[in-house]
Amino acid sequence: MEETSRQSRPSTSSIGDVVCLPEVYLNAPSLHITPLVWAITLVVMVAVLLADLLIIGRRPHEPSIKESTIWVSIYVGLALLFGLGLWFTSGATFAGEFYAGWLTEYSLSVDNLFVFVIIMSRFAVPRHLQQEVLLVGIILALVMRGGFIAAGSALISQFSWVFYIFGAFLVYTAINFARQGEPEEDDFKENIVIRWVRRAVPFSRDFDGAKLTTTDTMGKRLFTPMLVVMVAIGTTDLIFALDSIPAIFGVTKEPYLVFTANVFALMGLRQLYFLLGGLLDRLVYLNIGLAFVLGFIGVKLVLEALADNNLPFINGGEHISWAPHIPIWLSLTVILGTLLVATIASLAKSARDKRKERELTAVGS
């Protein structure tokens, strides 16, 4: 990996014509990734997924806190080492972009866990089978996000106005995050795909291990509730990908960094699910923290698009000089600081609530 400079390409003020990336990105150093590096990355990713499949397939179980802690620590350590490798081979800027993207995707992945918990509870998935459900969900998320990354990279390389759309979408998502708070089980509504599967497919009443199909006492082939769970997880992954991909493109435009940040954020998600357990209920301010992060990245994208504007109906197609470029070190500081504050405030509030509950119990007795 090495730094090279992108050649400037003329932009056009016509929306119908191809509009290239803003000048700030054209003149910025680019991360050159050879096909060999891409191939090695994909091989390693597939190998890790296969190892996970073999471990679960040979011994389906509910991981202990110790086991989950070890695996989460390994995945976090690998992400930190990968960032250091980028630092030494490609410079601090790209390492900072990776860390900012990874932190953003990791925090959004933790938010995914709230919905996964609700889905597992709603469909009464046995604890020893939840690992397989989560692994399938992670694989689906990687595939979907890979498609979104490819599409997003193609769009931003051709049309600079996509930054306006990404930025506005993130601000809108941030407002929804702040308003809704953490999802509750009563908030979960079966989407149209789940309802259609329920109507169109014959189901058994009980799970048969992790199998998608089983046979009843009459020998009739039926699908198990596991199919509905997989559909629910897959459609949830699709919705979350719509949030996460614009968010990470707000901190880096390098497809390799976008992809690897998503991989590292998702790889340890299965173990993190069991590690956090009841702690998820205590992260009461996580959504507010995520709302601030998404809003910050959305505003950052819009400001950078304004700084190199070429849309004819905005400022006559001219650049807007007052719009600042937010450096990656500031983005990383804001993201990390916000998540730390949200986590500490959540745990502090949870501790206060428990103390008050004990005091009320003591008074009542």
Side-chain angles (χ1 to χ4, degrees):
M1 292 180 282
E2 61 184 35
E3 293 187 12
T4 58
S5 295
R6 296 182 186 174
Q7 296 180 346
S8 297
R9 291 173 289 180
S11 59
T12 169
S13 60
S14 171
I15 301 177
D17 298 330
V18 172
V19 182
C20 299
L21 277 170
E23 185 177 340
V24 65
Y25 300 120
L26 295 175
N27 295 330
S30 173
L31 185 64
H32 176 65
I33 304 297
T34 65
L36 177 61
V37 173
W38 270 108
I40 292 173
T41 302
L42 293 173
V43 167
V44 171
M45 182 197 74
V46 172
V48 172
L49 289 175
L50 289 176
D52 257 353
L53 283 171
L54 289 174
I55 291 172
I56 295 175
R58 292 178 61 181
R59 191 169 66 92
H61 67 290
E62 179 183 346
S64 65
I65 296 296
K66 179 180 178 181
E67 179 185 345
S68 299
T69 301
I70 291 173
W71 280 105
V72 170
S73 300
I74 289 173
Y75 283 121
V76 170
L78 288 174
L80 295 175
L81 287 175
F82 182 82
L84 287 176
L86 283 170
W87 193 312
F88 287 119
T89 59
S90 303
T93 298
F94 292 122
E97 290 182 4
F98 168 77
Y99 283 134
W102 172 63
L103 281 171
T104 301
E105 295 300 297
Y106 203 69
S107 58
L108 288 170
S109 295
V110 171
D111 197 58
N112 288 20
L113 294 182
F114 285 96
V115 181
F116 287 169
V117 168
I118 291 173
I119 291 173
M120 300 291 190
S121 174
R122 182 67 174 269
F123 296 104
V125 181
R127 290 287 289 180
H128 70 281
L129 297 179
Q130 291 182 9
Q131 281 207 86
E132 298 199 31
V133 175
L134 288 168
L135 184 57
V136 171
I138 290 169
I139 294 173
L140 290 174
L142 284 170
V143 172
M144 291 179 185
R145 293 188 188 195
F148 278 115
I149 290 168
S153 297
L155 282 173
I156 66 175
S157 67
Q158 296 294 321
F159 305 107
S160 64
W161 47 262
V162 171
F163 293 127
Y164 287 109
I165 297 175
F166 280 3
F169 177 74
L170 289 178
V171 171
Y172 170 78
T173 302
I175 294 172
N176 283 340
F177 263 57
R179 286 179 175 175
Q180 294 173 359
E182 297 300 347
E184 302 290 342
E185 185 168 356
D186 292 339
D187 297 331
F188 179 77
K189 306 295 182 184
E190 294 187 0
N191 58 52
I192 188 172
V193 178
I194 298 175
R195 293 196 300 270
W196 179 84
V197 170
R198 281 190 180 277
R199 291 194 305 267
V201 178
F203 281 97
S204 65
R205 297 183 60 183
D206 302 314
F207 288 89
D208 184 5
K211 297 177 181 178
L212 294 179
T213 62
T214 186
T215 54
D216 61 12
T217 55
M218 304 296 294
K220 182 180 179 181
R221 178 68 63 177
L222 300 172
F223 285 93
T224 70
M226 186 64 75
L227 176 64
V228 182
V229 175
M230 295 300 184
V231 172
I233 292 289
T235 51
T236 299
D237 283 336
L238 177 61
I239 294 170
F240 276 106
L242 292 174
D243 295 336
S244 64
I245 298 305
I248 194 171
F249 273 117
V251 294
T252 179
K253 309 302 178 295
E254 298 292 341
Y256 184 76
L257 298 184
V258 173
F259 177 75
T260 51
N262 271 276
V263 169
F264 279 109
L266 290 171
M267 281 299 191
L269 195 59
R270 174 174 63 85
Q271 293 85 356
L272 188 64
Y273 173 88
F274 293 98
L275 175 62
L276 293 181
L279 183 62
L280 286 174
D281 295 332
R282 299 168 62 187
L283 298 177
V284 292
Y285 294 129
L286 178 62
N287 259 37
I288 296 177
L290 289 176
F292 185 84
V293 168
L294 292 178
F296 169 79
I297 296 174
V299 171
K300 176 179 181 289
L301 270 177
V302 172
L303 287 174
E304 291 179 352
L306 288 172
D308 284 272
N309 174 68
N310 50 26
L311 294 180
F313 52 84
I314 298 179
N315 197 38
E318 299 296 327
H319 301 335
I320 297 177
S321 59
W322 57 261
H325 171 69
I326 300 175
I328 191 61
W329 66 264
L330 180 57
S331 298
L332 184 56
T333 301
V334 169
I335 293 169
L336 182 58
T338 301
L339 296 177
L340 283 175
V341 169
T343 301
I344 294 172
S346 295
L347 297 179
K349 183 179 186 303
S350 178
R352 287 195 305 269
D353 291 343
K354 282 191 173 183
R355 187 166 57 251
K356 289 180 181 178
E357 185 179 342
R358 286 196 301 268
E359 291 173 355
L360 290 174
T361 301
V363 172
S365 61

